[in-house]
Amino acid sequence: MNRKEPSWLKNAVFYQIYPQSFCDSNGDGIGDIQGIISKLDYIKDTGFNAIWLNPIYESPFKDAGYDVSDYYKVAPRYGTNEDLRQLFAEAKKRGIRVILDIVAGHTSTEHEWFKASCKAEKNKYSNYYIWNEDWLDDSDGLNMINGYAERNGNFAINFFSTQPALNYGFADPDPRKKWQLPTDHPDVQAVGEELRKLMEFWLQQGCDGFRVDLAPSLIKKDKGRKAVIQFWQKFRKIFDEKYPEAALIAEWSYAPQALKAGFHIDFMIFCGTSAYTSLFRNEPERDMFQYIPKKVFYEIDGYDYELKNQNSFFDRGGHGDINQFMTTYLRHYQETKENGYIAMVSSNHDMPRINDNRNALDLELIFAFIMTMPGTPFIYYGDEIGMRNIKGLVSVEGGYTRTQARTPMQWDTTANAGFSTAPASKLYLPIDPDEARPNVQSMLADDNSLLNRFKNILKIRKAHESLQADGDFEFIPVTNAANVLAFIRKSANEKLLMLFAPGADGGEFSFKLDTAQTPTAIRAVNMELSCRDGIATCKTSNSGYGIFKI
Ligand code: GLC
Ligand code: CA
C-alpha cells in the first residue's frame, strides 16, 4: 500500500471506554482516569491494543461531556491533566494506544468563547459561533436558539440547546444574509486554527490520535460535503507531516467521504439501514434507534439505502439477508480500501448494547465476525462480557434512550459489581440489577465463558495477518442461502475461509470453493465442512461459525 498512515493501525483492536462508567478509583460514584489506569492490564490481557476514550474535558455535562467548556483541561471528576498524561504513559508501556474524542463542531454554552460571543459589543469571539442578525427568525434551515443572549441575534446549535455550533463557515453562503460567512473569512479561519491548536496540544501530551465527533457537520450549507472534505484534508496534511503515527478517526458514517477527507478510519454505523442495522438490529418490531421509524428509505449522496428484509443477519432466527449489508459494504470497501479502514463496532454509547436479548453463542458469532472483517474493530466496554442493555432508566446527562447502554462496568461479585465503593445511590448510573449479571472475575475463571471465547478469537486474529486490517477480502456469494455468510481473507502467505451461519435450527448450505482438500478448522463452532469436486458443503447444528485454513 502506498499510502501514509500510522503503522499500528494494521493490527489495532480498539476498546471504547465511557469514562463515567468504567472504574471509580476514589469512591465518588463516577469512573475516573486512575480507575482506567488500574484496569490497563485487563485491557491488554483481553487482547486490545488501543483505547478510544469518550470526552474527558471540563464540561457542565449536559450531553455527557460532548459539551466542552475547556478543551485544555481534564474534567476534575476524572482527575487532572497529569493523570491523563500518566494514562498515556502507562498505556504506552503496555503497547496500548489512546485516542481522545474531539468535539470539533460545537462547545458548551459554558465555554468562555461562547460567553464572549454572546456579548452585544463586538469582540474577538463574536463570529466564533453562528449568529444571525435578527432576534426574531431567519434560521435558513439551521437549528437556532432564540432569546438567549444580549446580542441581537440567535445562535445555531448542532445537537442540544446547550451545544452552540462553532463557526467554520458556509460553503454556499446566501449573499443576502451577511451573517453567513464564507469558509475563507478570517474569523472562521480562526476557529479552524483553534481546533488545530487544541489537537496539537493533546498530541504533544502523548495521545495517539482522535475520534472526531460529528466530523462532517462542521461547514454549513455544504452540498456533497465538498468543503468539509477539503477542510479535513488540511488536517491530514498536518498529521502526515508532523504526527505520522497519530490516527484520525471520523464519526462520519460514510467511509467513501470520510476517507477522502483524510480520515484513516470511519465507522460503519449509520449508513442507513443496510449497514450496522441490517447486521445486528433490524427486527420486525424495532430499529436500532428507537426513534427511527421502520421502513425508511435513506438517501445519502445519491445512494439509496432501503430496508428490504427486516430480520437482521445475526438474529438467532436465521432469517436475515447478508446481501442487504454486502451490497453497501462492498461498494464502500472497494472505494476506500486503498485509503484507510472501515470500522466494525459491537455497539457504542449512542445505541443499545449489542447484548439486547442475545445469548453467549449469538454474541460469539458477532464477535468472530467483527474480528475477522477487514479494517479496524471497536468493542464497547462491557460488550466483551455480554453486559446487558438496561431499559427504563431515567436519562442521565442527556443520555435519554442512550442511557440504557451506559451503566457501570461489572468487574466482580463485590458491592456495585466492583465498579465503585460509593453507596449504590451515589453511582453515576445503577448497576445492572440482575443477580445473574456477568462480571469479569467470574468469567476469567471459566474457560468456556464468553469473555474467554472472545479472547480466543482475538488471539486468532493476532496470529493471522490475513485477518487483520489490510488482508484481502473476497465475498463468496452462497446461492440460495442469503442467511449465511462466506468470505475469504488473504495475505501474502495465507488464505483463510470464514463462515457464519446464524440460526438456532441449524441447516446445510453449499458453495463453490476452488480447493483440492477440505480446509482445516482453526476454530469451528457447531459447524462441519467438507469439500468435493470444487463444492464445499457446510452443516450446522445450531448457530455456527468457522475459521478455516485453505
Ligand atoms: C456524537 C456523539 C454523541 C453526542 C453528539 C453530539 O454523535 O457520539 O454522544 O451526543 O455527537 O456531540
Ligand atoms: Ca471517581
Side-chain angles (χ1 to χ4, degrees), residues 252-266:
W252 195 301
S253 295
Y254 193 67
Q257 283 181 356
L259 273 49
K260 190 168 166 209
F263 286 93
H264 300 110
I265 300 178
D266 185 25

Side-chain angles (χ1 to χ4, degrees), residues 63 66 103 106 159 163 211 213-214 251 349-350 402 406:
D63 183 17
Y66 282 93
V103 191
H106 47 268
F159 204 63
Q163 291 165 311
R211 174 263 192 190
D213 186 60
L214 301 180
E251 185 200 27
H349 63 293
D350 289 332
R402 304 176 296 181
R406 298 177 174 184

Side-chain angles (χ1 to χ4, degrees), residues 404-420:
Q404 61 191 332
R406 298 177 174 184
T407 61
M409 179 70 178
Q410 295 150 202
W411 293 104
D412 54 37
T413 54
T414 63
N416 299 326
F419 161 69
S420 168

Side-chain angles (χ1 to χ4, degrees), residues 467-526:
L467 294 180
Q468 296 163 15
D470 283 324
D472 284 346
F473 175 81
E474 190 193 320
F475 172 57
I476 307 178
V478 179
T479 336
N480 302 330
N483 59 345
V484 303
L485 166 61
F487 61 86
I488 284 175
R489 299 295 312 276
K490 209 163 72 181
S491 62
N493 306 317
E494 65 183 11
K495 197 168 164 186
L496 302 190
L497 169 70
M498 305 295 315
L499 296 176
F500 295 89
D505 293 339
E508 187 175 316
F509 60 95
S510 305
F511 54 96
K512 280 196 191 140
L513 189 70
D514 192 13
T515 164
Q517 66 231 22
T518 297
T520 48
I522 295 168
R523 181 159 176 85
V525 172
N526 299 332

Side-chain angles (χ1 to χ4, degrees), residues 127-133 138-144 154-158 165-175 177-185 187-189 217-223 226-228 231:
N127 283 334
Y128 264 45
Y129 297 84
I130 303 171
W131 296 86
N132 67 9
E133 286 164 336
D138 190 18
S139 62
D140 204 3
L142 298 175
N143 222 343
M144 289 209 160
N154 308 320
F155 66 93
I157 56 164
N158 274 341
L166 282 162
N167 194 0
Y168 295 92
F170 288 69
D172 184 18
D174 183 335
K177 299 177 198 279
K178 292 277 175 288
W179 56 273
Q180 299 188 357
L181 303 182
T183 53
D184 60 359
H185 190 284
D187 293 358
V188 156
Q189 299 259 314
S217 74
L218 268 42
I219 294 173
K220 307 304 179 198
K221 288 173 78 176
D222 181 18
K223 228 174 163 219
K226 288 203 182 76
V228 80
F231 175 90

